[in-house]
Amino acid sequence: MASISIPVLVLWGDEYPFTPVDGPVGKYFSSLPSQLSNVKLIVLEEVGHCPRDDGPDLVQEKLLP
């Protein structure tokens, strides 16, 4: 990730059953915004594995700005 210089927006569903935000992969991505200025992480509430299906309005709200 350190070699990526373009802006990165990570949308993560807090109800993702396979890769929870408090698991190893989730912790890695949660740590990135404090290490890399181009990375932003947004945890979407009540959203699971497919954010665009589980919370399309939330995803659109975060992508449009």
Side-chain angles (χ1 to χ4, degrees):
M1 288 293 297
S3 64
I4 298 173
S5 60
I6 61 172
V8 176
L9 175 61
V10 179
L11 300 178
W12 202 288
D14 71 341
E15 294 183 7
Y16 191 167
F18 309 112
T19 311
V21 74
D22 62 350
V25 175
K27 287 179 181 178
Y28 169 75
F29 279 96
S30 294
S31 72
L32 288 178
S34 65
Q35 300 172 28
L36 303 169
S37 62
N38 63 314
V39 177
K40 182 175 182 179
L41 170 73
I42 298 173
V43 178
L44 302 172
E45 294 184 19
E46 299 181 20
V47 172
H49 176 71
C50 294
R52 66 190 174 280
D53 293 337
D54 297 341
D57 293 338
L58 290 172
V59 171
Q60 185 173 343
E61 175 185 307
K62 303 304 180 189
L63 287 177
L64 288 178

